[in-house]
Amino acid sequence: MLPVLPADRTEYVFTDVSPWFTSRAAERFRDHPFVGYRRYDVERSPESQGIEAGRFDLVIAANVLHVVADLRAALATVSRLLAPGGVLLVLEATRPLAWVDLIFGLTEGWWRFADHDVRARHPLVSAETWARLLAQSGAADVATVEAARDDVELLSRQAIVLAQRGLAPVTDANGLGRVRRW
Ligand SMILES: C[S@@+](CC[C@H](N)C(=O)[O-])C[C@H]1O[C@@H](n2cnc3c(N)ncnc32)[C@H](O)[C@@H]1O
């Protein structure tokens, strides 16, 4: 994303819960001076980590959200970062593969999921499930992008799910003002 963002009017914050990833990123993206780096835990509220909620036009969650214990809670927390009209872009692998389990299954995080009504046996969910969870969490609009071809059976399939936060308070059927959850 960085080469296509206008450097003169972009502020980008690269985050991870692990300083190892943020320091590697700082090295790799050093030619993009508009990028800042900080620790951020997707399972904790932005404010409790010193991050102002409602400030970001775009939040990119790349292959991270599947690590959480509760997807619904994490989506609610992460979406609080968005400014009105802002977009959450979720990039996730969407199909279980035995060889992937053999590698990442050795890490504790892979098996942390406790939302067994959504994820009964495996941390990854389909693009449709991501879209449903985001719509249920109150996103104003949701779209998914998936590779049309599925000819390489052994490779992990990645999907992009986009969810947009509503622009402003909306009025319900009785003409009463109410605020979208996000
Ligand atoms: C599969 S890696 C993806 C790394 C990177 N986002 C990318 O796309 O290349 C999963 C990442 O999630 C991070 N992670 C694990 N738990 C997290 C949490 N609670 N909050 C934020 N990041 C977390 C790990 O440190 C790791 O960097």
Side-chain angles (χ1 to χ4, degrees):
M1 295 289 288
L2 297 180
V4 299
L5 291 170
D8 57 333
R9 50 198 170 88
T10 303
E11 232 184 284
Y12 193 104
V13 188
F14 182 100
T15 70
D16 198 284
V17 79
S18 150
W20 190 85
F21 278 82
T22 48
S23 56
R24 287 292 300 271
E27 245 172 66
R28 182 164 169 194
F29 304 134
R30 63 175 174 262
D31 293 340
H32 302 280
F34 58 87
V35 183
Y37 303 87
R38 63 173 301 155
R39 185 179 190 278
Y40 168 64
D41 180 343
V42 293
E43 293 187 285
R44 290 174 44 219
S45 78
E47 293 91 340
S48 70
Q49 303 174 70
I51 299 176
E52 198 185 326
R55 255 200 85 213
F56 294 85
D57 298 314
L58 175 64
V59 171
I60 301 174
N63 282 306
V64 60
L65 290 176
H66 64 265
V67 307
V68 303
D70 183 331
L71 286 181
R72 288 189 193 90
L75 289 177
T77 304
V78 169
S79 59
R80 297 193 49 247
L81 293 166
L82 292 173
V87 171
L88 170 63
L89 186 161
V90 176
L91 172 70
E92 280 288 344
T94 54
R95 93 181 146 174
L97 285 172
W99 72 263
V100 174
D101 286 352
L102 279 173
I103 299 168
F104 292 104
L106 299 177
T107 65
E108 215 177 288
W110 195 243
W111 306 110
R112 277 190 72 231
F113 58 98
D115 46 3
H116 294 132
D117 60 323
V118 182
R119 297 182 288 177
R121 292 207 310 262
H122 199 271
L124 302 182
V125 299
S126 67
E128 293 73 32
T129 300
W130 282 109
R132 176 172 54 80
L133 293 173
L134 285 158
Q136 287 170 351
S137 79
D141 205 1
V142 179
T144 56
V145 184
E146 263 192 296
R149 293 172 51 170
D150 193 18
D151 51 357
V152 191
E153 274 303 311
L154 284 176
L155 293 183
S156 121
R157 188 199 299 167
Q158 298 263 317
I160 291 172
V161 187
L162 297 156
Q164 185 169 33
R165 179 180 168 160
L167 272 175
V170 293
T171 306
D172 68 16
N174 302 315
L176 299 171
R178 68 188 164 84
V179 178
R180 277 192 194 279
R181 263 180 298 158
W182 66 285

